[in-house]
Amino acid sequence: MISLESVSKSYANGVPALNDVNLNIEKGEFVFIVGDSGSGKSTLIKLLLRELTPTSGRIIVNDYDLSRLSRRKIAKFRRSIGVVFQDFRLLKDRNVYENVAFAQRVIEVPTRQIKQNVPAMLSLVGLAGKYKAKTRQLSGGEQQRVALARALVNNPPILLADEPTGNLDPRNSWEIMKLLEEINKRGTTVLVVTHNREIVNAMRKRVITIRKGVVVSDEEKGEYIDED
Amino acid sequence: MRISTLLYTCKQGFKNIFRNKMFSLATIATIAACVFLFGIFYAIVVNVQQSVRAAESSVAVTVFFDEGLSQEQIMLIGDEISKRPEVASVVFVSAEEAWDSFKVDYLGEYADGYEGDNPLEGSENYEIYMNDVSKQSSLVSYLETIDGIREINRSDATANILSNINTVISYVSLAIIGILLAVSLFLISNTVAMGIAVRREEIAIMKLIGAKDFVVRSPFVIEGILIGLIGAALPLIALYFIYSNLILYVKDEFAVLDDILKFMSIEDFFSRLIPIALILGVGLGFLGSMFTVHRHLRV
Ligand SMILES: Nc1ncnc2c1ncn2[C@@H]1O[C@H](COP(=O)(O)OP(=O)(O)OP(=O)(O)O)[C@@H](O)[C@H]1O
Ligand SMILES: [Mg+2]
């Protein structure tokens, strides 16, 4: 489903963010990506969405070779991926409902169906009562849940989540993780970047650890590894 | 594209206007200013041209005939003259008509003493009106070659002034159109730069969740067209009031000018100005929004 072959990424100012990364993630897997701040986790997510292109190496996602994607195919490719961005990236001057509905507009779901899907999704993430609120008036945790609802509403085959519980209290974090596990059980491949040691250790999933742009450990039923 | 997508697109285009009120207001003001300036300038050009044309059409070359020329010969000469391209019309004035109008113009009630005989016997003539007064000299040298013509009266001074005015108007028009275009482009590019800052993030987000260029662009383009329409409509309304009041004001206060200034009727003027102003406004709005969005689609 996702494969990286000796992928490196340096930013324009010369900062090397990822260095010779090789990864293979199969369809239906649930994977945690962990690592210290600045280790290159978000860079990895951005590469998988083709928001960035690698300096060298090859990335294949959902049978698309990302280095050979024409401009028109990029849009089509991105629709097969649900993303929760670390900084949410919500449309600020639209309300909660419109933000989630927009993902459905993009794939041309009929309005009648959108009116059923969006409220259902919002109550799943616990935001049913806030659908009219402008997103800039929401708390960090609420914005995070809107971003999650938008990522999930199209039922994508792949979900990339960059710290989807970073702004949530332990109880809400657990609820969201359970939701992601549930979605994974229905067949979606899930990649979660997180700093939440307790959850990682309790869920016993595959854990990939990145340190300074290098994959230092990749274990089934792994644990959160500290830098030492 | 689905109907619901189309409806959504139009609705978003409309809502966009209110989402960034400052930007919309700035753009509308810019377009309105351009259309307004254009309207004023257009009104001046059109009316001056109309007045000049009216003046031109009253300038005539008059030709008198050799004594004893027959009616047929006079008619033949008239036919020849009408064939010239610069000639708009040829009017025959008989000796009686010439005397009648002379009496009215110069003698008034003192004409009674001349009852019975016509002192202007043999003064029948052609008044030749032209399309283009600058061609007067060439017409006169042609007339001089015709047999049977005794005398040619021409009005060089008036003709020269009029054709000079015409030349000046066309140069001034060109210069002002150039300045207006430059000013519009400067204003529009400023507002567009402001719009870019506002929209950059939003467009990037749409692209990252898989929206096609078309879907991202359409609402902005519709927004641009709507803003262009509003930006053109406002100055049109203002110009309507200004124009109609100005005509009345000049007619009332400067009755002397009434002979010289031939105002175009407000209906004629606006039936010309409205389409031009709408094309100008919508065009500026459309191009501005296309340009703004285009630069940010490469995400
Ligand atoms: N746009 C950029 N330009 C230059 N350098 C960047 C850019 N984005 C990230 N970096 C650098 O690349 C490195 C990896 O950044 P990245 O955002 O991938 O880290 P991260 O693992 O997601 O960290 P965090 O846990 O804090 O989110 C960092 O050193 C960062 O400073
Ligand atoms: Mg990050």
Side-chain angles (χ1 to χ4, degrees):
Chain A
M1 201 76 182
I2 297 175
S3 101
L4 285 82
E5 290 169 30
S6 19
V7 170
S8 298
K9 173 70 188 175
S10 300
Y11 284 101
N13 56 3
V15 179
L18 285 179
N19 194 357
D20 195 26
V21 171
N22 289 283
L23 271 183
N24 241 311
I25 295 169
E26 299 300 326
K27 188 170 160 50
E29 275 197 274
F30 189 116
V31 180
F32 282 120
I33 313 270
V34 302
D36 293 332
S37 185
S39 56
K41 307 179 297 294
S42 295
T43 303
L44 175 63
I45 298 285
K46 287 172 185 169
L47 286 171
L48 293 178
L49 191 60
R50 209 200 169 282
E51 183 181 350
L52 299 174
T53 48
T55 316
S56 65
R58 201 154 90 115
I59 305 175
I60 292 172
V61 179
N62 204 11
D63 294 333
Y64 288 92
D65 183 339
L66 298 196
S67 58
R68 297 208 188 135
L69 226 45
S70 69
R71 240 166 89 67
R72 197 173 304 154
K73 285 249 179 74
I74 292 177
K76 193 159 177 260
F77 157 72
R78 283 178 180 154
R79 294 175 200 189
S80 66
I81 298 184
V83 201
V84 180
F85 298 96
Q86 189 169 10
D87 50 358
F88 319 134
R89 303 214 188 157
L90 301 173
L91 302 172
K92 291 193 187 60
D93 46 17
R94 303 198 195 186
N95 64 31
V96 170
Y97 177 92
E98 286 169 335
N99 264 276
V100 180
F102 188 76
Q104 297 238 287
R105 292 286 175 201
V106 160
I107 57 168
E108 301 210 33
V109 176
T111 307
R112 196 159 24 87
Q113 233 164 298
I114 295 179
K115 282 183 178 157
Q116 292 172 354
N117 296 346
V118 174
M121 199 65 235
L122 285 175
S123 59
L124 203 60
V125 297
L127 275 179
K130 295 248 176 186
Y131 73 100
K132 268 190 167 169
K134 284 269 193 298
T135 53
R136 65 162 86 86
Q137 298 161 348
L138 298 176
S139 74
E142 286 165 338
Q143 291 186 38
Q144 201 147 45
R145 283 181 279 167
V146 178
L148 186 65
R150 183 180 68 186
L152 294 177
V153 72
N154 291 342
N155 225 334
I158 298 177
L159 176 72
L160 308 175
D162 199 346
E163 306 223 26
T165 61
N167 289 278
L168 300 180
D169 55 74
R171 196 176 60 85
N172 271 308
S173 298
W174 267 110
E175 266 177 28
I176 293 298
M177 281 301 175
K178 288 291 165 200
L179 178 63
L180 295 182
E181 195 175 27
E182 179 65 33
I183 279 151
N184 171 247
K185 283 202 181 108
R186 288 194 224 150
T188 299
T189 308
V190 177
L191 229 84
V192 184
V193 172
T194 186
H195 280 126
N196 194 319
R197 161 199 310 276
E198 194 194 332
I199 287 178
V200 171
N201 288 345
M203 281 179 66
R204 314 297 299 169
K205 302 287 185 188
R206 178 177 171 188
V207 179
I208 296 171
T209 309
I210 302 181
R211 189 169 294 162
K212 293 192 175 111
V214 179
V215 174
V216 292
S217 125
D218 180 352
E219 286 182 66
E220 296 297 329
K221 297 190 197 321
E223 294 213 337
Y224 197 104
I225 304 171
D226 277 306
E227 190 160 15
D228 43 24
Chain B
M1 191 162 66
R2 283 176 171 279
I3 301 276
S4 61
T5 312
L6 194 73
L7 283 177
Y8 171 78
T9 303
C10 294
K11 207 166 126 188
Q12 289 305 313
F14 193 72
K15 281 189 176 175
N16 270 351
I17 298 177
F18 298 98
R19 285 203 181 105
N20 297 293
K21 293 192 192 69
M22 279 314 292
F23 174 67
S24 304
L25 280 179
T27 319
I28 289 175
T30 307
I31 293 177
C34 294
V35 172
F36 185 77
L37 286 177
F38 178 83
I40 298 259
F41 163 71
Y42 189 66
I44 294 171
V45 168
V46 156
N47 282 302
V48 171
Q49 247 170 14
Q50 174 143 320
S51 304
V52 170
R53 217 169 285 145
E56 270 185 350
S57 65
S58 69
V59 173
V61 175
T62 316
V63 293
F64 299 92
F65 312 105
D66 287 343
E67 223 135 320
L69 218 59
S70 72
Q71 283 300 319
E72 287 90 81
Q73 282 168 310
I74 291 176
M75 268 175 47
L76 267 174
I77 292 175
D79 286 347
E80 283 302 309
I81 296 172
S82 336
K83 283 185 194 142
R84 301 281 295 181
E86 69 268 30
V87 170
S89 63
V90 178
V91 178
F92 179 73
V93 182
S94 67
E96 290 73 38
E97 282 166 339
W99 174 231
D100 283 344
S101 82
F102 184 86
K103 278 196 291 191
V104 171
D105 286 349
Y106 299 104
L107 298 177
E109 50 202 69
Y110 307 109
D112 293 351
Y114 296 94
E115 212 70 63
D117 59 340
N118 182 353
L120 293 184
E121 198 66 56
S123 69
E124 59 268 22
N125 61 66
Y126 277 133
E127 281 173 1
I128 306 167
Y129 296 94
M130 279 176 298
N131 297 317
D132 180 354
V133 287
S134 67
K135 299 266 166 60
Q136 186 177 267
S137 318
S138 78
L139 177 71
V140 169
S141 42
Y142 163 75
L143 293 173
E144 279 164 349
T145 66
I146 298 182
D147 277 344
I149 290 184
R150 161 167 57 96
E151 193 185 335
I152 302 167
N153 278 354
R154 53 197 286 183
S155 40
D156 271 339
T158 330
N160 283 340
I161 289 170
L162 287 174
S163 69
N164 283 345
I165 291 180
N166 260 339
T167 326
V168 169
I169 289 177
S170 20
Y171 282 127
V172 170
S173 307
L174 276 179
I176 295 186
I177 285 180
I179 293 169
L180 272 183
L181 267 178
V183 170
S184 312
L185 280 179
F186 174 75
L187 291 177
I188 287 289
S189 69
N190 265 351
T191 11
V192 162
M194 176 174 149
I196 285 173
V198 175
R199 265 72 194 260
R200 173 176 291 148
E201 165 125 354
E202 190 168 9
I203 292 169
I205 295 171
M206 291 176 176
K207 291 282 297 188
L208 285 178
I209 59 181
K212 280 188 263 186
D213 287 359
F214 181 78
V215 174
V216 177
R217 193 191 290 128
S218 307
F220 290 114
V221 169
I222 289 178
E223 176 193 358
I225 291 174
L226 286 173
I227 282 182
L229 277 177
I230 301 171
L234 293 180
L236 278 177
I237 295 170
L239 285 168
Y240 188 88
F241 283 108
I242 294 175
Y243 192 81
S244 51
N245 284 318
L246 194 73
I247 293 180
L248 291 179
Y249 181 73
V250 171
K251 287 218 161 112
D252 280 357
E253 301 287 317
F254 302 97
V256 215
L257 290 178
D258 209 35
D259 274 349
I260 306 166
L261 287 176
K262 301 281 183 251
F263 279 112
M264 190 177 255
S265 76
I266 195 152
E267 291 82 14
D268 281 352
F269 178 64
F270 273 82
S271 66
R272 288 173 182 215
L273 180 64
I274 287 175
I276 302 178
L278 289 183
I279 290 172
L280 198 68
V282 170
L284 285 175
F286 175 81
L287 288 179
S289 61
M290 282 293 273
F291 185 72
T292 313
V293 183
H294 187 75
R295 293 174 61 173
H296 296 291
L297 285 174
R298 292 196 172 273
V299 177

